[in-house]
């Protein structure tokens, strides 16, 4: 679509131009590429997320999976072990494991790129751009970016898809020197972050705030849910190497399709503080775009939809040890 310069967010009518949800039917596994257990893992994960194996269903037995994929029992158990660690299956103990969740965890090292995360878990990422516009910044975005109200920025509104299914509404606000690079790129063709990095944009570190939010009219139309439906929200402030904010994002996921994970090692600081809030719980992190070390020891966590009003959590994570940082632009959880 052609970028606009100042028009308000124009949202199409519900369902317009959005691919229909695929039928929950199994398909034959593709020929393996790479390690066999990764092939089996990807296929089983796809069946769980697509609904071929519904929540509460038992997976085929190990012997049945061995026969289907022509692999050893050890390879099957390796794939099932990963699905357990992701929280997608549970049970077992002599019986076939049972599907517990359809929400695929998203580690923070892939947080800055929806496309990379989707491809990494065997899904097909997609997008439909609603608007790219240059306009004056205001409200929360102005505060997060440290800009005066009305300073020109570039805003992006996109619907993100997983295997053609609506999964997330993406709202991005970039400072103008970075955002102008988007006008030379078709956002319907792939990752904005990959394009910006290829053009030399400095996207060094980010703070993530995770909470729950009710779907507004735009969310409801694009995600095909009722207004007020609970969504999993990730707000992000990205900074360059000098610590200057360059992007503020507000991404809203269908909670049944995504979960967030935090992995850290004994060499990585991770502090958690709880503080009272008026409504939803939130978790906030700072992480380098290069990603955290692979999980070897320490703690791991999953951030999902927040519960009733009560507390919020703030976590600081960085590549080096040290005290947790504070952000004077951090907005209170509403």
């Amino acid at each position: 679509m052609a970028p606009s310069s100042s028009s308000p967010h124009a949202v199409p009518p519900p369902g317009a131009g959005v691919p229909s949800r695929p039928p929950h039917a199994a398909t034959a596994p593709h020929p393996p590429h790479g390690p066999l257990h990764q092939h089996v893992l990807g296929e089983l994960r796809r069946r769980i997320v697509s609904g071929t194996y519904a929540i509460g269903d038992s997976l085929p037995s190990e012997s049945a999976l061995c026969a289907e994929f022509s692999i050893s029992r050890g390879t099957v158990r390796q794939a099932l072990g990963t699905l357990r660690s992701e929280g997608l299956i549970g049970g077992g103990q002599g019986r076939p494991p049972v599907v517990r969740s359809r929400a695929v965890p998203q580690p923070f090292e892939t947080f800055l790129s929806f496309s990379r995360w989707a491809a990494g878990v065997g899904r097909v990422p997609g997008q439909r751009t609603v608007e790219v516009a240059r306009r004056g910044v205001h409200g929360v975005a102005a505060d997060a970016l440290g800009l005066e109200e009305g300073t020109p920025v570039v805003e992006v509104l996109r619907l993100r898809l997983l295997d053609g299914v609506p999964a997330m509404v993406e709202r991005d606000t970039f400072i103008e020197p970075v955002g102008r690079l988007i006008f030379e790129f078709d956002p319907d063709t792939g990752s904005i972050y990959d394009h910006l990095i290829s053009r030399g944009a400095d996207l060094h570190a980010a703070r993530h705030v995770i909470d729950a939010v009710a779907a507004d009219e735009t969310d409801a139309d694009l995600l095909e849910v009722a207004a007020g439906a609970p969504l999993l929200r990730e707000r992000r402030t990205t900074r360059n190497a000098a610590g200057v904010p360059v992007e503020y994002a507000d991404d809203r996921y269908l909670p049944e399709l995504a979960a967030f994970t935090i992995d850290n090692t004994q060499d990585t600081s991770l502090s958690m503080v709880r503080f009272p809030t008026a409504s939803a719980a939130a978790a906030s992190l700072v992480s380098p775009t290069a990603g955290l070390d692979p999980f070897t020891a320490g703690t791991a966590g999953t951030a999902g939809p927040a519960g009733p009003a009560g507390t919020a959590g703030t976590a600081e994570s960085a590549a080096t040890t040290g005290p947790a940082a504070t952000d004077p632009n951090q907005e209170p959880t509403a």
Side-chain angles (χ1 to χ4, degrees):
M1 61 162 279
S4 64
S5 60
S6 60
S7 60
H9 290 173
V11 179
V18 180
S20 59
R21 299 178 187 270
H24 298 316
T27 59
H30 297 292
H33 297 283
L36 283 175
H37 79 276
Q38 290 289 350
H39 169 63
V40 177
L41 170 63
E43 177 60 22
L44 294 178
R45 188 192 281 132
R46 184 195 65 78
R47 294 178 186 179
I48 292 171
V49 175
S50 69
T52 300
Y53 300 148
I55 293 177
D57 285 355
S58 295
L59 265 61
S61 65
E62 289 184 1
S63 59
L65 291 173
C66 288
E68 177 183 353
F69 292 97
S70 300
I71 55 177
S72 69
R73 192 176 294 268
T75 301
V76 168
R77 288 176 177 173
Q78 191 174 2
L80 294 178
T82 300
L83 293 175
R84 283 193 179 91
S85 69
E86 294 177 347
L88 296 180
I89 64 172
Q93 299 180 348
R95 298 181 181 180
V98 175
V99 177
R100 299 298 192 198
S101 172
R102 293 176 56 211
V104 179
Q106 178 173 359
F108 277 87
E109 59 264 32
T110 64
F111 226 137
L112 294 179
S113 175
F114 178 93
S115 298
R116 291 182 193 174
W117 164 63
V121 295
R123 309 297 298 279
V124 178
Q127 49 278 322
R128 180 164 64 85
T129 305
V130 178
E131 181 189 53
V132 179
R134 183 178 183 274
R135 58 165 59 89
V137 71
H138 64 277
V140 173
D143 293 339
L145 295 173
L147 298 176
E148 294 290 337
E149 294 273 344
T151 301
V153 294
V154 175
E155 295 182 346
V156 179
L157 176 64
R158 291 198 298 177
L159 173 67
R160 304 310 301 269
L161 311 169
L162 285 177
D163 299 331
V165 177
M168 185 261 278
V169 175
E170 177 183 82
R171 296 172 173 87
D172 275 310
T173 302
F174 293 93
I175 62 172
E176 201 274 339
V178 174
R180 70 173 66 164
L181 299 174
I182 300 172
F183 289 103
E184 62 188 40
F185 171 72
D186 181 358
D188 280 346
T189 63
S191 170
I192 289 177
Y193 260 79
D194 285 349
H195 169 71
L196 293 177
I197 291 172
S198 73
R199 295 286 285 110
D202 182 1
L203 308 174
H204 177 71
R207 165 175 286 233
H208 310 272
V209 178
I210 304 168
D211 63 0
V213 65
D216 63 20
E217 291 185 4
T218 299
D219 301 326
D221 288 346
L222 294 175
L223 293 173
E224 302 177 6
V225 298
L231 300 176
L232 185 57
R233 178 172 65 172
E234 182 254 334
R235 288 171 289 170
R236 180 176 65 255
T237 302
T238 306
R239 292 175 169 79
N240 61 23
V244 177
V246 296
E247 178 216 20
Y248 174 73
D250 182 319
D251 296 341
R252 303 182 181 193
Y253 294 78
L254 288 174
E256 67 268 24
L257 295 182
F260 303 133
T261 63
I262 306 166
D263 293 339
N264 73 294
T265 71
Q266 291 178 338
D267 296 328
T268 303
S269 67
L270 180 64
S271 62
M272 179 69 73
V273 179
R274 291 186 178 275
F275 56 90
T277 181
S279 56
S284 169
L285 289 101
V286 172
S287 62
T289 57
L292 300 175
D293 293 336
F295 176 76
T296 56
T299 62
T302 299
T311 61
T314 297
E316 303 288 352
S317 177
T320 57
T321 58
T326 59
D327 183 355
N329 293 321
Q330 174 73 40
E331 63 174 300
T333 303

